[in-house]
Amino acid sequence: MKWVTKPKVKEAEQFLLGGKAPLPFKDEGACCFDGKRWYVVTTHGQKTQIVDGDYIVREPDGSGFYPCKPDIWLAGHELIEE
């Protein structure tokens, strides 16, 4: 079998260190720092490390966030609204 992804709108913001931009989803506390590393908490409660340039993506049901590397994100997504 072969499948194609159904089109859907996703919310994502890029994580950039160095004061270039505010933290993604700042008002929702999506990005956390434990003194050693930055991470997001996924819908399953897992702390997943994020690094400069990663895209932070909101789960479709709003239950958490997950990171995506920029090259992978940009290969599969097109910006429709800022």
Side-chain angles (χ1 to χ4, degrees):
M1 288 189 212
K2 292 185 180 182
W3 296 81
V4 65
T5 303
K6 295 179 183 178
K8 60 182 160 181
V9 176
K10 296 179 183 178
E11 288 183 71
E13 297 180 26
Q14 195 169 26
F15 177 71
L16 298 171
L17 293 173
K20 297 177 187 173
L23 291 178
F25 303 103
K26 182 178 180 178
D27 295 340
E28 299 171 55
C31 301
C32 306
F33 186 69
D34 65 7
K36 295 180 184 177
R37 66 186 182 117
W38 284 94
Y39 64 91
V40 293
V41 179
T42 68
T43 192
H44 302 290
Q46 180 180 0
K47 293 179 181 179
T48 303
Q49 185 172 347
I50 56 177
V51 297
D52 190 42
D54 284 353
Y55 279 83
I56 308 305
V57 187
R58 181 195 310 272
E59 291 286 355
D61 65 0
S63 64
F65 300 90
Y66 62 93
C68 186
K69 296 297 176 199
D71 56 338
I72 295 170
W73 181 258
L74 295 173
H77 299 84
E78 179 180 344
L79 181 63
I80 59 169
E81 179 183 312
E82 283 194 51

